[in-house]
Amino acid sequence: MLTQIRHFIKRNFKALLLLNFIALITVSQYSAPKPVIEQKSAPIRDTLGYLQHTHTFIHSAYYYPESKSLGKNAIAIVTTTNKRTVKQILKMKINLVASNDTGIINTAATVTTEHRLTDRCDYLMLLAQANTLENMNVLEIEADGITASIPFKKPKAVAPKPVMFCVAPQFAAEQWQTFLAQVHISKFYGAHLQMYVVSMVESYFQLLQEYEKLGYLSIEPWLTIKFSKVDEPVIEPNRNVELRAQTAAHTDCLLMYKEAATFIGFVDMDDLLIPVNSASYYEEFERDYNGNWLISSLHYTKYDFQTIKSPYLDETSILQMVKQAKYMNTTDSGKSFVRAERYNSTWAHWSRVADLVPQFFGESEEKPFLMTRREMNTTGMFHLKRQISKTGLQLANLGEGQIPLNPVNNKTTIISEENLQAIEDDLQRHLALPQIQKLAPYLPKEDFYMPIILKCYTDAFYHARDIGRFSQAAICINAYSCDIPQRHDYSCVHSDAMYHSGPRMDPITYHYTTDSYFTRSIGCYQ
Ligand SMILES: *[C@@H]1O[C@H](CO)[C@@H](O)[C@H](O)[C@H]1NC(C)=O
Ligand SMILES: *[C@@H]1O[C@H](CO)[C@@H](O)[C@H](O)[C@H]1NC(C)=O
Ligand SMILES: *[C@@H]1O[C@H](CO)[C@@H](O)[C@H](O)[C@H]1NC(C)=O
Ligand SMILES: *[C@@H]1O[C@H](CO)[C@@H](O)[C@H](O)[C@H]1NC(C)=O
Ligand SMILES: *[C@@H]1O[C@H](CO)[C@@H](O)[C@H](O)[C@H]1NC(C)=O
């Protein structure tokens, strides 16, 4: 038997991990009973209006031995959960069983969501929070005596920079020019990018990896939600959650850097922020928070610009992109930049949970102060909404433009000539590096996926919005059903992982992943 196992391990290294995992479960089930330190079981089924048995996908679980804002031994679990499980989903408690080498503690985790319960989507990002015990080494979810063991990780102890920008998950991504603008502008003003990638054209992904090696960004695979084992038909989660669970990705990023970064921003790749009063984001944000305890986030409206881009790496110029940019006279919902300790979760534009959270500063106060986001009027997001492809020859004909005026005042420019030139010089230095030069022939020269996805999004919900017929109660903002044809001359990398299902539990069965990675065998899908 032992030799067989050894043989098996030699053949397949993954099996070793799995075996470890099984050993972990077995130990927790069969070792001598540990003293139960505390018992706080929560009723679920009857009191909250049981509706149906459902499935929850656990994106990540964090364990904070110490946290400035979450307390000692805090747990935060990011999930996508079917809101039609019990009638009062936000009153639901999730029983956690946490163990360390000497004891076990049962705790009821409370839940919050960033979504409105009236939205059309069946699934929500549900964040479960609790405090457990020191040196936790096993975390389980329990219901009616059945437990599922959940993998967890510690948040980052150090952040590469005090300002982190979490970039929304990229799928079928091909617009490397937008990335170059984002990475060089955010680097110049002192932010590190945390990139979530679902799928990306391979040469573009390699470009990202080169920038990762240089230390300007970190790449995290963002996984499609899958319930690997279910014994009944289920509502498809990816199709029935707002924007492919973008909220869960942003929240995961926030929780990962909560203790390590001072400020965290939540952006799309084409949302550029250029500080106007300081030389760095850090100083700008400190200045705008201005020591005020009631500001939850700094919220910048998106100002839509159209500009040009070059299909070739060697002709790419941020200076050109900025100088040819034209304000389209339209704005869009803004983006938030937050003090990490004041947010536990976030929606795409701000945290609905952190907005209007009561703050008590003294015992004598009768009415609390409400924490709210600050609407910024110094500048907005420089949103590269539309980019028209032009070659060097066509660019020459366009002539040199002017740096656009800041649309919040139409007086100052969005960036100084000097800073723009410094960013351009830095870009050109990087484009000349041999490891980046060698990717030039392989980067896509025209948009293929972008127009298809844009049309699909327009059909799915932008159209309804633009004619004023849009309501989140009527439409779940999601375009997972978009048919994305595959382009065979450019291969894509896609995220994947080992998917696991816990035992059937009531009312919710839990599903999770381990060992995530990127693969060339899936394609350019959402
Ligand atoms: C287990 O947790 C309890 C409660 O936090 C703590 O008192 C005890 O020291 C912990 N045991 C170990 C081995 O850390
Ligand atoms: C924006 O509006 C101004 C006048 O208010 C107009 O001159 C300009 O052409 C418009 N720009 C775009 C891109 O639509
Ligand atoms: C974050 O979680 C902690 C611990 O539960 C809580 O005290 C705090 O009020 C929460 N903050 C926000 C903004 O919800
Ligand atoms: C910008 O906001 C600040 C603080 O909210 C306010 O004092 C100021 O008058 C505003 N400026 C403009 C131009 O609206
Ligand atoms: C600035 O000009 C644009 C037109 O280009 C206009 O839409 C906007 O309202 C102006 N903003 C201010 C603050 O005057």
Side-chain angles (χ1 to χ4, degrees):
M1 170 71 181
L2 258 179
T3 31
Q4 272 172 340
I5 291 180
R6 239 181 258 134
H7 226 77
F8 185 52
I9 291 170
K10 262 193 202 148
R11 277 210 315 270
N12 188 346
F13 180 69
K14 282 242 167 79
L16 184 68
L17 296 173
L18 191 67
L19 222 64
N20 256 331
F21 181 70
I22 292 167
L24 207 67
I25 294 175
T26 322
V27 169
S28 76
Q29 276 176 352
Y30 297 114
S31 62
K34 293 173 188 167
V36 172
I37 297 167
E38 203 180 326
Q39 182 82 42
K40 263 197 266 166
S41 237
I44 289 181
R45 258 194 95 122
D46 304 322
T47 48
L48 301 175
Y50 179 82
L51 295 173
Q52 59 179 328
H53 171 248
T54 60
H55 297 267
T56 283
F57 185 77
I58 295 177
H59 295 278
S60 53
Y62 288 95
Y63 170 57
Y64 303 75
E66 296 278 349
S67 163
K68 292 189 277 286
S69 51
L70 303 173
K72 270 177 108 61
N73 304 314
I75 305 270
I77 308 176
V78 186
T79 77
T80 289
T81 292
N82 189 324
K83 72 182 180 195
R84 299 178 221 283
T85 305
V86 291
K87 278 190 194 136
Q88 294 176 281
I89 190 87
L90 295 183
K91 294 220 170 114
M92 188 174 76
K93 300 269 192 343
I94 297 174
N95 289 339
L96 300 182
V97 183
S99 321
N100 65 15
D101 282 343
T102 53
I104 296 180
I105 186 170
N106 290 358
T107 323
T110 54
V111 299
T112 50
T113 186
E114 287 291 341
H115 299 296
R116 285 174 303 213
L117 294 175
T118 50
D119 285 357
R120 175 67 190 80
C121 304
D122 288 285
Y123 287 86
L124 312 161
M125 191 286 287
L126 207 66
L127 178 71
Q129 281 180 262
N131 293 83
T132 64
L133 43 56
E134 275 163 42
N135 299 316
M136 181 180 82
N137 49 21
V138 179
L139 174 65
E140 293 161 299
I141 297 180
E142 181 271 346
D144 296 333
I146 302 174
T147 58
S149 189
I150 304 301
F152 63 89
K153 54 191 168 189
K154 294 215 178 120
K156 301 273 186 202
V158 282
K161 300 239 175 82
V163 179
M164 295 291 302
F165 285 178
C166 303
V167 183
Q170 302 293 303
F171 65 94
E174 59 190 355
Q175 302 205 312
W176 49 270
Q177 297 93 336
T178 313
F179 159 71
L180 287 174
Q182 177 67 265
V183 72
H184 280 279
I185 289 175
S186 49
K187 167 182 180 269
F188 184 78
Y189 295 107
H192 183 92
L193 300 180
Q194 177 67 44
M195 306 262 319
Y196 285 73
V197 176
V198 178
S199 63
M200 187 171 267
V201 168
E202 192 168 3
S203 51
Y204 177 10
F205 186 70
Q206 287 164 341
L207 182 65
L208 237 61
Q209 287 179 312
E210 292 305 333
Y211 274 85
E212 186 178 39
K213 284 183 209 154
L214 294 168
Y216 308 149
L217 60 88
S218 307
I219 305 172
E220 183 81 9
W222 184 246
L223 298 166
T224 309
I225 301 171
K226 275 184 217 162
F227 302 141
S228 83
K229 212 172 82 227
V230 289
D231 46 16
E232 71 223 328
V234 293
I235 299 175
E236 211 291 317
N238 299 288
R239 216 177 291 274
N240 293 289
V241 66
E242 187 183 283
L243 288 173
R244 314 165 315 279
Q246 182 183 339
T247 293
H250 279 335
T251 300
D252 175 73
C253 183
L254 165 71
L255 291 170
M256 189 184 330
Y257 289 104
K258 197 169 187 349
E259 302 305 313
T262 307
F263 295 106
I264 303 184
F266 306 98
V267 298
D268 283 327
M269 191 69 93
D270 57 3
D271 294 329
L272 306 173
L273 183 66
I274 300 170
V276 286
N277 292 318
S278 316
S280 74
Y281 293 123
Y282 188 91
E283 280 175 54
E284 182 101 341
F285 296 157
E286 279 291 2
R287 181 177 175 144
D288 290 332
Y289 264 99
N290 194 20
N292 187 334
W293 275 94
L294 295 176
I295 298 173
S296 54
S297 74
L298 307 175
H299 186 253
Y300 295 84
T301 298
K302 276 196 198 192
Y303 289 86
D304 301 334
F305 282 80
Q306 73 176 23
T307 186
I308 46 102
K309 67 177 178 189
S310 166
Y312 307 111
L313 190 71
D314 289 337
E315 290 177 357
T316 293
S317 158
I318 295 172
L319 193 128
Q320 294 268 21
M321 279 165 104
V322 171
K323 288 200 168 176
Q324 300 292 342
K326 222 189 190 125
Y327 178 46
M328 294 166 80
N329 294 345
T330 54
T331 59
D332 209 338
S333 280
K335 291 288 174 184
S336 282
F337 295 80
V338 314
R339 253 189 214 290
E341 59 196 74
R342 293 193 200 169
Y343 258 41
N344 297 340
S345 57
T346 189
W347 177 56
H349 303 290
W350 64 83
S351 168
R352 288 183 172 135
V353 175
D355 230 22
L356 305 180
V357 168
Q359 301 284 307
F360 292 92
F361 292 98
E363 307 238 315
S364 57
E365 282 162 31
E366 293 194 347
K367 276 220 238 111
F369 292 99
L370 299 180
M371 193 159 78
T372 54
R373 64 183 184 276
R374 176 170 175 196
E375 293 298 345
M376 299 307 296
N377 60 13
T378 48
T379 191
M381 305 298 298
F382 177 48
H383 178 212
L384 301 181
K385 188 179 168 94
R386 196 157 168 255
Q387 295 179 65
I388 304 150
S389 201
K390 295 258 196 284
T391 64
L393 200 62
Q394 292 166 311
L395 281 174
N397 295 339
L398 276 175
E400 194 87 323
Q402 298 291 315
I403 297 178
L405 292 178
N406 188 340
V408 306
N409 57 26
N410 288 338
K411 288 195 185 86
T412 53
T413 53
I414 61 166
I415 188 171
S416 69
E417 192 80 50
E418 189 190 350
N419 285 352
L420 181 58
Q421 192 60 54
I423 291 167
E424 176 70 9
D425 293 346
D426 192 43
L427 169 75
Q428 297 310 331
R429 260 197 308 277
H430 283 78
L431 296 189
L433 294 173
Q435 67 269 35
I436 290 176
Q437 269 299 309
K438 78 169 200 276
L439 298 172
Y442 307 106
L443 289 164
K445 291 175 190 52
E446 68 280 328
D447 297 337
F448 174 79
Y449 294 111
M450 180 66 183
I452 296 169
I453 292 164
L454 190 63
K455 173 169 189 318
C456 178
Y457 269 50
T458 304
D459 294 348
F461 52 82
Y462 285 149
H463 177 66
R465 182 187 70 180
D466 295 346
I467 60 169
R469 288 285 173 77
F470 177 72
S471 112
Q472 294 195 334
I475 300 173
C476 179
I477 308 185
N478 184 294
Y480 193 72
S481 322
C482 289
D483 190 20
I484 305 183
Q486 298 298 296
R487 182 177 180 176
H488 295 289
D489 49 347
Y490 288 92
S491 60
C492 259
V493 295
H494 197 292
S495 61
D496 202 0
M498 302 236 311
Y499 285 84
H500 308 273
S501 293
R504 186 185 160 103
M505 283 160 56
D506 233 9
I508 297 173
T509 298
Y510 293 88
H511 306 261
Y512 54 90
T513 61
T514 56
D515 310 287
S516 57
Y517 58 97
F518 287 102
T519 172
R520 301 170 76 175
S521 65
I522 295 179
C524 253
Y525 296 100
Q526 294 197 48

